């Protein structure tokens, strides 16, 4: 199961508002949108928001008013929204890089995504069953027919990104420009993980509340010493701060010297 980065999503957007990168009147497209995203945008006071989901009426979205579109094939023009944002959606896509490309293409200023991070510690956590590789719960919630990869009943692989991977991907999308990317991460292993068989073997035979307390302590400890490797991972692609590569020729400015009469 992918852990929720709900708090991180709202923190990133609030921070962008505080720094005036995001303005409440800017146009925002929310990809993979659900009622949760609507709640966030309402709380933040964003006024020009378009919600999109492949299955707006599904239990994973519950936002029937959202536009229906596949994140891999958006019809919007290049740069048609100031910001394109998405929470917990890319890892549901069969081609996460292509879906991220579409977000990048149609954004004018920033792309914000909150996903799960791949890191050495996350791989250890995976080995102990603290985090999973395929998302079965979402398909169970969808009655076995939806909630998985591209909204189907096939549980999606939880594609976890590294910082370097995001940077390389953006550099490949837009090689003519340097594009800064801001990252934010934290550990948030869900306390429900304390009930899995893998966790039982790691944490011993105590009751569920005791195991949940241990997972909370684990999150606290990991955030103290290795926050950078945290499973919750948000990134903001600062297209607004992008610059042409130094090797791209700039049109010379022609100055015409005044000839004295
Ligand atoms: C885990 S839910 C996240 C929903 C919401 N953003 C939230 O955080 O509560 C993932 C959503 O992505 C949508 N989705 C899956 N594949 C998609 C695709 N190829 N294009 C657009 N949306 C897709 C699903 O319908 C689902 O609602």
């Amino acid at each position: 199961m992918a852990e929720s980065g709900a708090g991180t999503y709202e923190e990133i957007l609030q921070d962008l508002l505080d720094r005036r990168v995001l303005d409440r009147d800017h146009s925002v497209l929310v990809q993979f949108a659900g009622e949760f995203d609507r709640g966030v945008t309402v709380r933040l006071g964003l006024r020009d928001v378009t919600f999109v989901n492949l299955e707006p009426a599904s239990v994973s979205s519950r936002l029937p008013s959202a536009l229906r579109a596949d994140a891999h094939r958006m019809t919007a023009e290049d740069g048609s929204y100031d910001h394109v944002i998405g929470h917990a959606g890319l890892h549901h896509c069969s081609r996460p890089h292509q879906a991220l490309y579409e977000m990048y293409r149609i954004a004018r200023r920033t792309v914000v995504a909150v996903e799960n991070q791949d890191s050495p510690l996350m791989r250890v956590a995976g080995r102990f069953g603290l985090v999973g590789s395929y998302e079965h719960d979402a398909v169970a919630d969808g009655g076995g027919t939806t909630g998985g990869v591209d909204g189907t009943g096939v549980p999606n692989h939880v594609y976890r990104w590294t910082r370097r991977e995001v940077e390389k991907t953006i550099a490949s999308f837009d090689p003519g420009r340097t594009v800064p990317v801001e990252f934010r991460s934290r550990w948030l292993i869900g306390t429900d993980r304390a009930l899995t068989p893998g966790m039982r073997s790691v944490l011993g035979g105590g009751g569920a509340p005791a195991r949940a307390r241990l997972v909370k302590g684990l999150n606290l400890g990991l955030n103290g010493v290795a926050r950078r490797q945290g499973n919750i991972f948000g990134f903001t692609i600062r297209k607004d701060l992008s610059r042409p590569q130094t090797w791209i020729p700039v049109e010379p400015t022609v100055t015409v010297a005044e000839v004295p009469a």
Side-chain angles (χ1 to χ4, degrees):
M1 172 185 172
E3 309 299 337
S4 167
T8 299
Y9 186 52
E10 196 158 339
E11 271 168 32
I12 291 176
L13 295 172
Q14 182 63 59
D15 178 52
L16 292 175
L17 279 169
D18 294 345
R19 289 189 284 150
R20 297 176 190 279
V21 178
L22 168 61
D23 184 279
R24 291 191 167 83
D25 286 319
H26 281 169
S27 57
V28 176
L29 181 133
V30 184
Q31 189 58 279
F32 319 112
E35 61 178 358
F36 156 76
D37 302 80
R38 185 175 54 189
V40 170
T41 58
V42 168
R43 277 196 296 283
L44 294 174
L46 305 184
R47 287 186 274 264
D48 183 1
V49 186
T50 304
F51 298 102
V52 181
N53 193 303
L54 186 61
E55 295 290 349
S58 66
V59 289
S60 63
S61 172
R62 297 180 200 274
L63 195 60
S65 57
L67 301 177
R68 192 188 176 98
D70 184 344
H72 302 99
R73 282 183 292 274
M74 297 298 289
T75 51
E77 299 285 320
D78 295 2
S80 44
Y81 293 88
D82 289 312
H83 309 271
V84 180
I85 68 178
H87 175 256
L90 285 173
H91 68 271
H92 280 267
C93 291
S94 51
R95 285 147 287 145
H97 294 81
Q98 187 179 341
L100 181 60
Y101 175 76
E102 285 293 81
M103 293 174 81
Y104 184 78
R105 182 183 67 74
I106 65 181
R108 200 162 29 238
R109 299 170 192 265
T110 75
V111 173
V112 175
V114 173
E115 290 292 321
N116 270 208
Q117 180 167 223
D118 187 11
S119 70
L121 273 176
M122 270 301 279
R123 275 166 247 154
V124 173
R127 238 178 253 152
F128 283 111
L130 284 162
V131 293
S133 294
Y134 291 87
E135 207 165 352
H136 295 274
D137 305 10
V139 172
D141 292 345
T145 56
T146 179
V149 64
D150 294 335
T152 67
V154 178
N156 54 285
H157 172 250
V158 182
Y159 192 97
R160 298 189 166 95
W161 300 78
T162 65
R163 291 171 189 233
R164 184 80 190 112
E165 193 181 4
V166 172
E167 285 165 348
K168 288 193 296 183
T169 302
I170 305 306
S172 302
F173 290 167
D174 203 351
R177 303 183 73 83
T178 55
V179 188
V181 186
E182 296 167 355
F183 295 101
R184 187 180 284 240
S185 55
R186 71 144 65 102
W187 285 97
L188 191 62
I189 291 166
T191 46
D192 55 329
R193 283 277 148 199
L195 302 171
T196 63
M199 273 305 287
R200 269 197 201 109
S201 64
V202 176
L203 298 176
R211 286 197 293 271
R213 272 199 301 278
L214 273 170
V215 174
K216 272 191 185 157
L218 187 66
N219 282 325
L220 207 65
L222 283 169
N223 278 320
V225 296
R227 193 181 180 97
R228 199 182 148 86
Q229 289 194 43
N231 57 328
I232 303 299
F233 177 56
F235 54 89
T236 306
I237 305 170
R238 297 292 306 268
K239 218 173 165 179
D240 56 332
L241 296 182
S242 71
R243 294 280 172 268
Q245 298 285 12
T246 48
W247 62 79
I248 304 276
V250 180
E251 284 291 310
T253 331
V254 181
T255 26
V256 181
E258 286 243 350
V259 181

